[in-house]
Amino acid sequence: MPAVTVENPLALPRVAAPADAVARPVLTVTTAPSGYEGEGFPVRRAFAGINYRHLDPFIMMDQMGEVEYAPGEPKGTPWHPHRGFETVTYIIDGIFDHQDSNGGGGTITNGDTQWMTAGSGLLHIEAPPESLVMSGGLFHGLQLWVNLPAKDKMMAPRYQDIRGGNVQLLTTPDGGALLRVIAGELDGHDGPGITHTPITMIHATLAPGAEVTLPWREDFNGLAYVLAGKGAVGAERRPIQLGQTAVFGTGSSLTVRADEKQDSHTPDLEVVLLGGQPIREPMAHYGPFVMNTRDELQQAFDDFQKGRLGTIPAVHGMTEGGL
């Protein structure tokens, strides 16, 4: 981990917060509980226990794996509906197939991201390809849910396939970190993901002892989730490690630092940095539907039960979960 790397980070554009930036304090550090999703793949619930006012416009995020599957073990999700938000699936290592009831989808692998805007609704399946099921192998990724404002809840579904080779790569002045901008903007450098709600999504790799202090939009919130390794966050250097999320307060920069010593399995600190402009609208969330009111939520359930969100393609209709 991870798939997208460079031999010489110092050949990349360099970013740093200006000297007069106001450092964001760390409000909380929480530990993600572990569980299972879909047909039984392991996840960490990154945002569990965090007040939604610190997350808005993000709803939830699961770290999928890191897991080394034996032959026959890889698992996915069965067919399920979505309405009212966007799912962002980022595959760090491994491979996943996606398909929906509108005929969309595709295969994403090492470093790829699929950005699915569910909008008015569809049925969706995510599963490892048959070749991976047979062979086993490494699987590691993230799925992030991003809310849509009321005006976009019922827009037509849309896909963005963001290949790992297309993300914006940046570094810090000393070359100690590799920053992969998947969506949004960092210091004038734009990632390829197009978002309805203004957000920034970055996967950062910090070498042991490296520190990054990045400019951060003051109207965004700020979150850091550790995928692997250990380090510290904020100017106060609050400790953080695998499976923990830091919530930053207000300011114009945020700081993350990697510990000098990492373990042999995880040579670097791997962290996802998220920021977004809060929507600040009422949210009614249950299962795969995220709406503004309970009536809209009930309508989503009714539409799903009556087949208005689509039907499972016949080729998959005979096998449970498409596996």
Side-chain angles (χ1 to χ4, degrees), residues 91-92 127 143 211 222 253 268:
I91 299 300
I92 300 166
Q143 187 168 95
E211 182 173 286
S253 72
D268 302 309

Side-chain angles (χ1 to χ4, degrees), residues 50-320:
I50 300 175
N51 190 300
Y52 181 66
R53 66 186 174 88
H54 296 311
L55 299 176
D56 184 12
F58 308 110
I59 301 164
M60 58 150 275
M61 186 169 72
D62 284 348
Q63 180 181 9
M64 306 179 292
E66 180 178 9
V67 58
E68 184 75 40
Y69 283 122
E73 286 186 343
K75 300 174 176 68
T77 67
W79 284 94
H80 56 281
H82 286 308
R83 173 180 279 181
F85 64 102
E86 300 183 286
T87 63
V88 182
T89 306
Y90 173 45
I91 299 300
I92 300 166
D93 288 297
I95 186 169
F96 231 24
D97 286 341
H98 292 246
Q99 187 180 4
D100 73 25
S101 53
N102 289 341
T107 298
I108 53 174
T109 186
N110 303 335
D112 295 341
T113 301
Q114 185 195 69
W115 204 291
M116 185 183 81
T117 303
S120 60
L122 41 65
L123 304 181
H124 184 233
I125 188 172
E126 302 158 299
E130 186 64 24
S131 60
L132 181 62
V133 175
M134 296 297 291
S135 67
L138 180 63
F139 180 75
H140 190 199
L142 283 177
Q143 187 168 95
L144 171 70
W145 289 13
V146 184
N147 202 4
L148 287 169
K151 65 182 180 62
D152 294 326
K153 289 285 189 189
M154 298 298 287
M155 67 176 291
R158 183 185 71 176
Y159 275 101
Q160 298 176 71
D161 284 317
I162 302 169
R163 297 300 161 185
N166 293 333
V167 300
Q168 175 70 62
L169 300 179
L170 306 169
T171 191
T172 47
D174 64 359
L178 175 60
L179 308 171
R180 305 165 192 84
V181 184
I182 298 168
E185 175 268 342
L186 180 64
D187 199 28
H189 302 277
D190 294 318
I194 300 170
T195 68
H196 292 279
T197 302
I199 73 164
T200 295
M201 180 179 182
I202 298 167
H203 175 190
T205 299
L206 283 70
E211 182 173 286
V212 298
T213 298
L214 302 176
W216 212 252
R217 279 181 50 169
E218 293 188 65
D219 59 337
F220 277 21
N221 56 8
L223 303 162
Y225 176 75
V226 178
L227 295 163
K230 54 187 178 179
V233 284
E236 61 270 47
R237 293 194 175 183
R238 186 159 173 180
I240 193 168
Q241 62 183 351
L242 167 64
Q244 292 188 319
T245 302
V247 176
F248 291 90
T250 58
S252 57
S253 72
L254 56 81
T255 298
V256 179
R257 187 180 191 279
D259 283 358
E260 296 281 354
K261 293 184 179 180
Q262 304 288 336
D263 61 43
S264 58
H265 174 67
T266 308
D268 302 309
L269 174 66
E270 304 286 349
V271 60
V272 173
L273 303 174
L274 295 169
Q277 191 174 67
I279 296 174
R280 294 193 177 96
E281 293 177 350
M283 184 177 70
H285 173 203
Y286 189 82
F289 305 124
V290 183
M291 305 304 292
N292 292 101
T293 68
R294 290 182 62 86
D295 286 346
E296 291 171 346
L297 203 58
Q298 184 60 56
Q299 185 64 55
F301 275 103
D302 291 346
D303 289 346
F304 168 56
Q305 291 170 348
K306 293 175 181 178
R308 294 172 183 153
L309 300 190
T311 56
I312 298 172
V315 67
H316 284 279
M318 298 177 65
T319 57
E320 179 62 27

